[in-house]
Amino acid sequence: MGQVRPYYADRGLSAAFYDTVTGADERLAGDIAIYADLAGTEGRILELGAGTGRVAYALAALGHRVTGIEIAPAMLAQAQARRAEVPADIGHRVTLRRGDMTSIDLKQEFDLVVCPYFTLAHVPRGAAWKNTFATAARHLRPGGLAAFHLPLLEVMRRPGPVNPAVPVLDRPTPAGGRLLLYIRQRSFRAEVGRLDQVIEYVEHDARGAVLRRGDERLTYYLTDPQPPAASVGLLCDRAPIPLGGVGEIWVFVKA
Ligand SMILES: C[S@@+](CC[C@H](N)C(=O)[O-])C[C@H]1O[C@@H](n2cnc3c(N)ncnc32)[C@H](O)[C@@H]1O
């Protein structure tokens, strides 16, 4: 194994092919409708970890005003480019900012904060989780809701593929080739709730020749979200909403 990049890094393939991979992920089906339902009519929404804008533009298309915070330039650039691909009124309802969800202060209030697709699990549990909940609380009006989509512990515990030579994903690329993903390393440490994976991305052209390849490290952290949320005034509002058999959306209300 050569150089291992962090996920979503500049020039990394996880950022370049985020929409190709996520668009194929049926385990996310229905997440937008859940967030839209929590937002009510034309609610103001803050998205923590907006990525390429998958959620932000979809919620804007439903009439919501969305501010998306994203730390990775390679992801933010794609979210900004997406504005040119949507009708102007939808684009106008989306504001994008580079920032760190563990510390940002926009000095604005929202009706709903969303942190979709395991984004909270990307930062270490402990101070980073508590600080992210504090960001959510700081930006919510009293009575506002915060939704955090987290992976299930039993899914994080699963071993890697029996045959690592078989791709875990094989999808057509926008350029007419194929993208193959392989799990090269996977280990879960229960005592710290940490899953480490090295995922190899391989892009083939239409004739099957390898165009690009790269190894990228994806780490997820998991713990009970209720204590750090409660410590900043976010109280669990209902039972977590199951999503796609691999995760659940925790909903908190600002007291
Ligand atoms: C799995 S993607 C989710 C993107 C989008 N919300 C979606 O559901 O498609 C996680 C995103 O969170 C971003 N992220 C990770 N840590 C962050 C932080 N501390 N502050 C802001 N964004 C962060 C990553 O760069 C990545 O774009």
Side-chain angles (χ1 to χ4, degrees):
M1 195 177 300
Q3 181 201 8
V4 181
R5 283 195 170 89
Y7 239 62
Y8 315 120
D10 288 350
R11 294 183 295 280
L13 297 184
S14 62
F17 287 109
Y18 181 82
D19 289 336
T20 299
V21 171
T22 306
D25 198 339
E26 291 171 357
R27 301 165 305 178
L28 288 175
D31 68 340
I32 309 281
I34 292 170
Y35 302 134
D37 191 43
L38 293 172
T41 313
E42 297 184 4
R44 298 158 301 163
I45 303 172
L46 175 64
E47 183 183 5
L48 305 178
T52 63
R54 177 185 73 88
V55 174
Y57 287 97
L59 289 170
L62 295 171
H64 301 287
R65 282 165 293 151
V66 186
T67 297
I69 303 304
E70 172 54 48
I71 202 167
M75 299 295 274
L76 185 61
Q78 293 182 71
Q80 283 160 337
R82 197 184 280 240
R83 194 185 303 282
E85 297 161 15
V86 301
D89 59 322
I90 295 175
H92 284 144
R93 287 198 284 274
V94 175
T95 303
L96 297 166
R97 282 272 305 266
R98 177 141 191 247
D100 185 339
M101 67 183 181
T102 66
S103 58
I104 197 160
D105 187 355
L106 299 173
K107 310 218 179 298
Q108 255 182 284
E109 276 192 355
F110 296 81
D111 301 296
L112 173 69
V113 174
V114 297
C115 192
Y117 196 8
F118 305 166
T119 297
L120 181 63
H122 288 62
V123 299
R125 58 187 212 168
W129 274 48
K130 182 177 172 187
N131 292 339
T132 303
F133 283 118
T135 297
R138 193 161 53 239
H139 290 90
L140 276 177
R141 65 165 170 79
L145 299 176
F148 287 82
H149 182 199
L150 289 172
L152 294 176
L153 183 62
E154 63 259 33
V155 174
M156 288 174 63
R157 279 183 194 282
R158 281 180 195 157
V162 179
N163 183 353
V166 175
V168 290
L169 188 113
D170 179 352
R171 293 288 295 171
T173 63
R178 296 205 76 82
L179 177 71
L180 276 62
L181 264 59
Y182 302 87
I183 307 286
R184 293 305 183 204
Q185 283 177 11
R186 183 177 166 102
S187 61
F188 179 68
R189 283 193 281 152
E191 67 283 10
V192 288
R194 175 175 170 153
L195 171 67
D196 282 288
Q197 293 186 95
V198 174
I199 302 176
E200 183 183 15
Y201 280 67
V202 186
E203 181 192 8
H204 295 261
D205 68 13
R207 297 178 174 190
V210 172
L211 288 177
R212 294 187 280 179
R213 62 160 302 283
D215 295 313
E216 304 202 15
R217 184 176 304 284
L218 179 60
T219 302
Y220 286 147
Y221 304 85
L222 189 67
T223 189
D224 179 357
Q226 293 178 84
S231 74
V232 296
L234 294 179
L235 305 179
C236 199
D237 186 58
R238 62 195 81 184
I241 304 166
L243 189 71
V246 292
E248 53 193 7
I249 296 176
W250 288 77
V251 182
F252 301 90
V253 62
K254 179 170 172 174

